[in-house]
Amino acid sequence: MAKMIVGVDLGGTSIKLALLTNNGEFIDKWEVPTDKSDSGKHIPKTITIAIEDKLKQMDKTKEDIAGIGIGAPGSVRLEDGLIFAAVNLGWVNFPLKDILEKESGIPVIVDNDANIAAVGEMWKGAGNGAKDVVMVTLGTGVGGGVIVNGDVAHGISGSAGEIGHITVQLENGVLCNCGKTGCLETISSATGIARIANEKLQNTTKETVLKEMSNDSPITAKDVFEAYSNGDEVAEEIVNHVMRYLALVLAGVGNTLNPENIIIGGGVSNAGELLLKPLKKYFDEFAFTTVRDSTKLSIAKLGNDAGAIGAAYLVKKFITNEI
Amino acid sequence: MAKMIVGVDLGGTSIKLALLTNNGEFIDKWEVPTDKSDSGKHIPKTITIAIEDKLKQMDKTKEDIAGIGIGAPGSVRLEDGLIFAAVNLGWVNFPLKDILEKESGIPVIVDNDANIAAVGEMWKGAGNGAKDVVMVTLGTGVGGGVIVNGDVAHGISGSAGEIGHITVQLENGVLCNCGKTGCLETISSATGIARIANEKLQNTTKETVLKEMSNDSPITAKDVFEAYSNGDEVAEEIVNHVMRYLALVLAGVGNTLNPENIIIGGGVSNAGELLLKPLKKYFDEFAFTTVRDSTKLSIAKLGNDAGAIGAAYLVKKFITNEI
């Protein structure tokens, strides 16, 4: 019987673990808290114990595991699994693969979490097996994973996929967490949408349900899409504004790579068709004709499972060489 | 002794041929006119005869050739060397590889001309062996070639690298040849620079040498850089305007792929440092911090030889499997 695979999605608050079949189906999922003390040096030990405990419960051993695939929140060098920097965990130049392999005695492959989610969607989700896929994650920030010819693009310093920091406003852009102004992230993240909505409420004289929604607490991105789905005109203006800039960037990425799929994930993507319809309209306006006609936009399908599934794919690709 | 390689750069006016060593050094270069009659159906025959004549002169045979690498001006499917469309040659869904292999009796590999030039620069030019390289060609239009993990990105319809058609002006953009408005090509191509300069001359009251330069014939991109090198203020404004938009796109591509090198080629790149200095200034402003610090901008080194050298590389990679 083919060995099982461990998928790990490493976050600043919790470590999500999953045990998967060789074919990427879930056997079990569980999580443990992230111990960030001492600059995150205990994390490999935490992961090892979590896996050992699970194997014991199942009456299995390390021999039953083909490898551990990990998505880490930072820039990664694939070849040796070095984390250049993972600010949330306190890691700088942290040789995660080496340490975890020594600790656990199981082969390890590491990649950036957004990249691994993109790989998961490529394999089992909205990418549907395509070899050229771009995934953009709209959450607190805007992340990205880029797959070209079936392989994740990392670039020379592991910063490929920083789509959220593409400049979209040349004049009067808002300051981004990255230190620049006018980044896509300042507009199309959940945070950006909420900011734009709250600003708009201060400056509009139009009737809008957003006004009542803002009585108790500031408007959220979810509120905006909810109001939009009920035909609210001000919410529609906000959604159009946000999707126009997202489309501008995705058309640019589309013209650069002509991927088969551009997949929208993250919390904001729960808006589904409400998001996709205006996004496609503007994408068609900005994309080169052939790209417009061949690159498909779609909503991510795997949600939080994308990371573990992507990690399993990387184990099959780089550890057991089955792909 | 290792076999020789034929590199072909297929243009609308002439077909440039080269005989190279297995290591990508030139043995001979020559050209023949492009016969576009009958929707370009005679082109494979023309190429075959040109090669046969050359071999005869050198007292060599087809057995001495490892393969033919061809750069074609259109979108290409690498796997089977199908040209989706090459408008200048009259080809639509033209199976170039199949026809030329049958005609010549020599193995053939085909790719888009901008991609092949990028490969040439990656191998022997400004890319200096890097595995992630983007090349942008500033000529009559703006072309692009994208290399990720050592392989050319084609995308699902062969339109990867259409960097010239990334939208940079959301409002009041000029109509592009592609049918959209506000594309980079309308600004940063030789044509775009000339257009902007001639418009500016109509609307400026400032003293500028461009006025005298325009007495006999309309201002060209070359005139603009010449005036700029002599400290002309209006020319400087034009160069800054053009380089700011080019930098915006290259920083976006940089954030997406974090390539080791972004190489500027084409006629406009003859401006060298005059172009590179303002371009770098704006790139540093628009690129994500890590990308700014790790992705290098440089001028192409191989000029018109890039195509033949890139073609030779593809023969080594896909026909003789030496790379």
Side-chain angles (χ1 to χ4, degrees):
Chain A
M1 207 188 87
K3 291 185 176 188
M4 297 180 293
I5 297 172
V6 176
V8 180
D9 191 353
L10 196 47
T13 311
S14 70
I15 303 172
K16 294 194 182 70
L17 294 107
L19 203 58
L20 301 105
T21 67
N22 183 267
N23 194 31
E25 278 130 27
F26 284 92
I27 299 167
D28 201 353
K29 291 188 219 179
W30 71 107
E31 41 186 284
V32 295
T34 308
D35 177 359
K36 291 190 286 189
S37 63
D38 302 328
S39 302
K41 68 183 278 199
H42 307 297
I43 292 173
K45 184 88 186 167
T46 307
I47 296 172
T48 302
I49 293 172
I51 296 171
E52 284 172 350
D53 286 353
K54 183 60 67 178
L55 289 173
K56 208 174 288 170
Q57 284 171 31
M58 298 177 69
D59 212 13
K60 299 279 183 189
T61 72
K62 287 176 186 178
E63 300 304 312
D64 298 306
I65 305 294
I68 304 172
I70 303 200
S75 48
V76 175
R77 189 163 62 203
L78 185 73
E79 298 88 89
D80 60 0
L82 178 86
I83 314 290
F84 289 112
V87 182
N88 288 339
L89 305 177
W91 289 347
V92 177
N93 292 324
F94 189 83
L96 176 59
K97 176 182 150 79
D98 286 356
I99 294 177
L100 184 58
E101 284 187 341
K102 203 172 280 177
E103 190 75 57
S104 70
I106 303 172
V108 171
I109 180 89
V110 183
D111 206 336
N112 167 271
D113 51 5
N115 291 342
I116 279 200
V119 170
E121 288 285 346
M122 168 183 78
W123 189 28
K124 297 276 182 179
N128 203 16
K131 291 179 84 182
D132 295 301
V133 170
V134 172
M135 181 163 174
V136 57
T137 310
L138 308 176
T140 314
V142 173
V146 174
I147 298 168
V148 178
N149 293 320
D151 286 312
V152 170
H154 291 90
I156 186 69
S157 286
S159 292
E162 289 292 357
I163 289 171
H165 301 289
I166 293 181
T167 306
V168 293
Q169 285 189 314
L170 282 173
E171 318 292 344
N172 305 318
V174 168
L175 183 65
C176 183
N177 286 327
C178 78
K180 299 195 302 140
T181 57
C183 294
L184 177 67
E185 180 163 303
T186 66
I187 295 176
S188 302
S189 62
T191 327
I193 297 171
R195 179 188 58 77
I196 291 165
N198 286 293
E199 280 174 16
K200 184 132 191 159
L201 277 194
Q202 308 297 318
N203 301 314
T204 188
T205 53
K206 287 186 186 164
E207 275 304 304
T208 166
V209 295
L210 292 173
K211 279 191 179 158
E212 291 123 63
M213 288 172 121
S214 72
N215 282 344
D216 298 332
S217 56
I219 293 290
T220 63
K222 205 177 159 202
D223 294 334
V224 173
F225 281 103
E226 194 184 315
Y228 173 51
S229 76
N230 291 321
D232 188 86
E233 199 184 326
V234 172
E236 184 176 357
E237 285 171 18
I238 298 166
V239 169
N240 280 338
H241 174 79
V242 167
M243 289 306 134
R244 186 161 180 246
Y245 282 110
L246 180 59
L248 179 68
V249 163
L250 297 186
V253 172
N255 286 0
T256 307
L257 296 170
N258 187 204
E260 186 165 345
N261 296 94
I262 297 180
I263 302 170
I264 324 294
V268 176
S269 75
N270 291 331
E273 277 298 318
L274 287 174
L275 175 157
L276 213 48
K277 209 178 148 192
L279 181 64
K280 279 182 174 167
K281 184 185 81 181
Y282 291 116
F283 182 83
D284 286 357
E285 191 180 305
F286 295 134
F288 185 66
T289 324
T290 329
V291 173
R292 181 192 71 198
D293 294 341
S294 58
T295 293
K296 287 189 288 288
L297 301 182
S298 53
I299 300 288
K301 287 190 178 160
L302 302 179
N304 289 332
D305 290 344
I309 294 173
Y313 182 92
L314 294 187
V315 167
K316 287 169 73 80
K317 177 153 185 147
F318 292 106
I319 294 176
T320 61
N321 299 313
E322 292 169 83
I323 292 173
Chain B
M1 206 188 86
K3 291 185 176 187
M4 298 181 293
I5 297 171
V6 176
V8 181
D9 191 355
L10 195 48
T13 312
S14 71
I15 302 172
K16 295 193 182 68
L17 295 107
L19 204 57
L20 300 105
T21 67
N22 182 268
N23 194 33
E25 277 129 28
F26 284 93
I27 299 166
D28 203 354
K29 293 186 220 180
W30 71 108
E31 38 186 288
V32 295
T34 308
D35 177 0
K36 290 189 286 188
S37 63
D38 302 328
S39 304
K41 69 182 277 200
H42 307 296
I43 292 173
K45 184 90 185 163
T46 309
I47 295 173
T48 302
I49 292 172
I51 295 170
E52 284 172 349
D53 286 354
K54 182 59 66 177
L55 288 173
K56 208 173 287 171
Q57 284 170 32
M58 297 177 70
D59 211 13
K60 300 279 183 187
T61 72
K62 287 175 186 179
E63 302 302 313
D64 298 306
I65 304 295
I68 304 172
I70 303 199
S75 48
V76 175
R77 188 164 62 200
L78 184 74
E79 298 88 87
D80 60 0
L82 177 87
I83 313 289
F84 290 112
V87 182
N88 288 339
L89 305 176
W91 289 348
V92 176
N93 292 324
F94 189 82
L96 176 58
K97 176 181 150 78
D98 285 356
I99 294 177
L100 185 57
E101 283 188 343
K102 204 172 279 179
E103 189 76 57
S104 70
I106 302 173
V108 171
I109 179 89
V110 184
D111 205 337
N112 166 270
D113 51 4
N115 290 342
I116 278 199
V119 170
E121 288 285 346
M122 168 183 78
W123 189 29
K124 297 276 183 183
N128 202 18
K131 292 178 83 180
D132 295 301
V133 171
V134 172
M135 183 164 174
V136 55
T137 310
L138 309 175
T140 314
V142 172
V146 174
I147 297 168
V148 178
N149 293 320
D151 286 313
V152 170
H154 291 90
I156 186 70
S157 285
S159 291
E162 289 291 358
I163 291 171
H165 300 290
I166 292 179
T167 307
V168 294
Q169 287 190 313
L170 282 174
E171 318 291 345
N172 305 317
V174 167
L175 184 66
C176 183
N177 286 326
C178 77
K180 296 195 303 139
T181 57
C183 294
L184 177 67
E185 181 162 302
T186 65
I187 294 177
S188 301
S189 62
T191 327
I193 298 171
R195 179 188 57 79
I196 291 165
N198 286 294
E199 280 174 14
K200 184 133 192 156
L201 276 193
Q202 308 298 319
N203 300 315
T204 189
T205 52
K206 288 187 186 164
E207 275 304 305
T208 166
V209 296
L210 291 172
K211 280 193 177 152
E212 291 123 62
M213 289 172 119
S214 73
N215 282 344
D216 297 333
S217 57
I219 293 290
T220 64
K222 205 177 160 201
D223 293 335
V224 173
F225 281 103
E226 194 184 316
Y228 173 51
S229 75
N230 292 320
D232 187 86
E233 198 184 328
V234 171
E236 185 177 354
E237 287 170 15
I238 297 166
V239 169
N240 280 337
H241 174 79
V242 167
M243 289 306 134
R244 186 161 179 248
Y245 282 110
L246 180 58
L248 179 68
V249 164
L250 297 186
V253 173
N255 287 359
T256 306
L257 296 170
N258 187 205
E260 186 166 345
N261 296 96
I262 296 179
I263 301 170
I264 325 293
V268 175
S269 76
N270 291 331
E273 277 299 318
L274 288 174
L275 175 157
L276 213 48
K277 211 178 144 191
L279 181 64
K280 279 181 175 169
K281 185 185 79 177
Y282 292 115
F283 182 83
D284 286 357
E285 191 181 305
F286 294 134
F288 184 65
T289 324
T290 328
V291 173
R292 180 193 73 198
D293 295 341
S294 58
T295 293
K296 288 189 288 288
L297 301 181
S298 53
I299 300 288
K301 286 189 176 161
L302 302 178
N304 289 333
D305 290 344
I309 293 173
Y313 182 93
L314 293 187
V315 168
K316 286 170 72 78
K317 176 154 185 146
F318 292 105
I319 294 176
T320 62
N321 299 312
E322 292 170 83
I323 291 172

